[in-house]
């Protein structure tokens, strides 16, 4: 069974109601490849609004959630609230959550577990920092992060793994197609050995890290790169070109 190409647009803390409506409108009008799944992640305050103005062919994700259904957790949102807004996905473990907000592997694993239990799809992120890559620790870091996520997943059909080397996010640096393929292939091998062959062959592993219209086609041609998690470029017209990267 082929893995359906997956392109996520992470809008981060950008935009307002008017500008994001324009983005949603342009995406909704566009002719998208039928064999590519597209999901966008607006700021949480606009989740319901974007779901209402976005064509149903495009999925909507939250950028984060907490690990429990409710309680005294000021500023947090739960998977149930995300679903109540009409969104079906959540991005978890993004490098900014790990390195700006100090989220641990353990917390990210707990969030993945709760989000899946509540019926959301999870875009679970892993990746190494520049000093870790330079120290030769890429695989160690990525496998440790993946291991904690895997320990919290029962049903892999609603999980997309995103490899995002932290040194390539918002820096303009992109892993070469060969670098991305190497890590994706090793992640798939790790899944085969530690989770099972069926999961390893079916789960989508997408790449994130300064993906642009200029870099996307070659990356999309790699056998183990099943799509992208796009940051800054998802706010620009070139996002459509990235969505169409896999078209022949």
């Amino acid at each position: 069974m082929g893995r359906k190409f997956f392109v996520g647009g992470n809008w981060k803390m950008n935009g307002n109601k008017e500008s994001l409506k324009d983005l949603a409108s342009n995406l909704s009008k566009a002719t998208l490849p039928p064999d590519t799944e597209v999901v966008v992640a607006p700021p949480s305050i606009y989740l319901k609004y974007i779901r209402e103005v976005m064509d149903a062919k495009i999925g909507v994700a939250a950028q984060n959630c907490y690990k429990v259904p409710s309680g005294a957790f000021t500023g947090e949102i739960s998977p149930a609230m995300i679903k109540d807004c009409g969104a079906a996905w959540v991005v978890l473990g993004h490098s900014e959550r790990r390195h700006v907000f100090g989220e641990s592997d353990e917390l990210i694993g707990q969030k993945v577990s709760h989000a899946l239990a509540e019926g959301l799809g999870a875009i679970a992120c892993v990746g190494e920092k520049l000093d870790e890559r330079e120290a030769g620790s890429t695989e160690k870091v990525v496998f440790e992060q993946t291991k904690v996520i895997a320990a919290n997943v029962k049903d892999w059909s609603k999980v997309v793994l995103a490899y995002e080397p932290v040194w390539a996010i918002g820096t303009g640096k992109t892993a070469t197609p060969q670098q991305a393929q190497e890590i994706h292939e090793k992640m798939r091998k790790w899944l085969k050995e530690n989770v099972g062959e069926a999961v390893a062959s079916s789960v989508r592993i997408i790449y994130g890290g300064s993906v642009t219209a200029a870099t996307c086609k070659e990356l999309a041609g790699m056998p183990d790169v099943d799509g992208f998690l796009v940051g800054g470029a998802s706010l620009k017209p070139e996002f459509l070109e990235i969505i169409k990267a896999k078209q022949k």
Side-chain angles (χ1 to χ4, degrees):
M1 183 186 72
R3 298 184 296 271
K4 188 171 186 177
F5 206 67
F6 185 103
V7 178
N10 179 10
W11 295 351
K12 305 190 181 184
M13 195 178 73
N14 290 299
N16 56 29
K17 206 168 186 179
E18 186 178 352
S19 66
L20 296 183
K21 183 182 180 182
D22 288 342
L23 265 180
S25 175
N26 290 336
L27 282 173
S28 296
K29 289 177 195 166
T31 303
L32 305 182
D35 53 354
T36 296
E37 184 170 3
V38 181
V39 174
V40 297
S44 60
I45 198 166
Y46 298 124
L47 273 173
K48 187 172 187 291
Y49 176 69
I50 292 300
R51 181 63 286 169
E52 288 170 350
V53 300
M54 183 79 78
D55 189 283
K57 68 190 174 194
I58 296 166
V60 175
Q63 296 175 16
N64 186 35
C65 72
Y66 201 50
K67 63 180 181 177
V68 294
S70 62
F73 302 104
T74 301
E76 292 290 348
I77 59 172
S78 71
M81 293 171 182
I82 293 165
K83 287 176 67 181
D84 204 28
C85 290
W89 289 88
V90 62
V91 180
L92 293 169
H94 189 279
S95 64
E96 289 154 9
R97 298 305 312 177
R98 291 178 185 272
H99 303 302
V100 178
F101 298 101
E103 293 188 5
S104 65
D105 290 351
E106 181 186 22
L107 175 59
I108 291 159
Q110 291 167 339
K111 289 181 174 190
V112 168
S113 175
H114 182 53
L116 292 172
E118 289 290 306
L120 287 178
I123 303 165
C125 306
V126 300
E128 83 284 9
K129 295 184 290 187
L130 181 60
D131 60 336
E132 292 166 337
R133 173 166 277 269
E134 290 177 341
S137 302
T138 294
E139 289 172 45
K140 179 175 180 284
V141 171
V142 170
F143 292 165
E144 281 178 359
Q145 293 172 350
T146 305
K147 180 180 180 181
V148 178
I149 290 165
N152 285 281
V153 176
K154 293 186 178 73
D155 177 7
W156 282 89
S157 67
K158 302 197 80 169
V159 178
V160 172
L161 290 174
Y163 168 61
E164 38 163 43
V166 182
W167 49 271
I169 295 172
T171 61
K173 296 178 182 177
T174 309
T176 66
Q178 293 73 27
Q179 284 174 321
Q181 167 59 22
E182 179 188 12
I183 300 302
H184 284 227
E185 186 178 11
K186 286 177 176 175
M187 285 175 67
R188 208 173 294 286
K189 185 182 177 198
W190 185 94
L191 287 167
K192 182 179 177 180
E193 292 171 353
N194 294 276
V195 180
E197 189 162 357
V199 167
S201 62
S202 64
V203 74
R204 290 173 290 184
I205 306 175
I206 64 176
Y207 171 77
S210 298
V211 178
T212 65
T215 60
C216 65
K217 277 195 164 41
E218 201 178 350
L219 282 161
M222 296 292 112
D224 289 294
V225 175
D226 302 316
F228 306 115
L229 184 57
V230 186
S234 68
L235 296 158
K236 300 173 184 174
E238 69 181 294
F239 187 47
L240 279 172
E241 291 181 60
I242 297 169
I243 290 170
K244 297 175 181 178
K246 195 71 173 175
Q247 280 188 319
K248 298 289 188 288

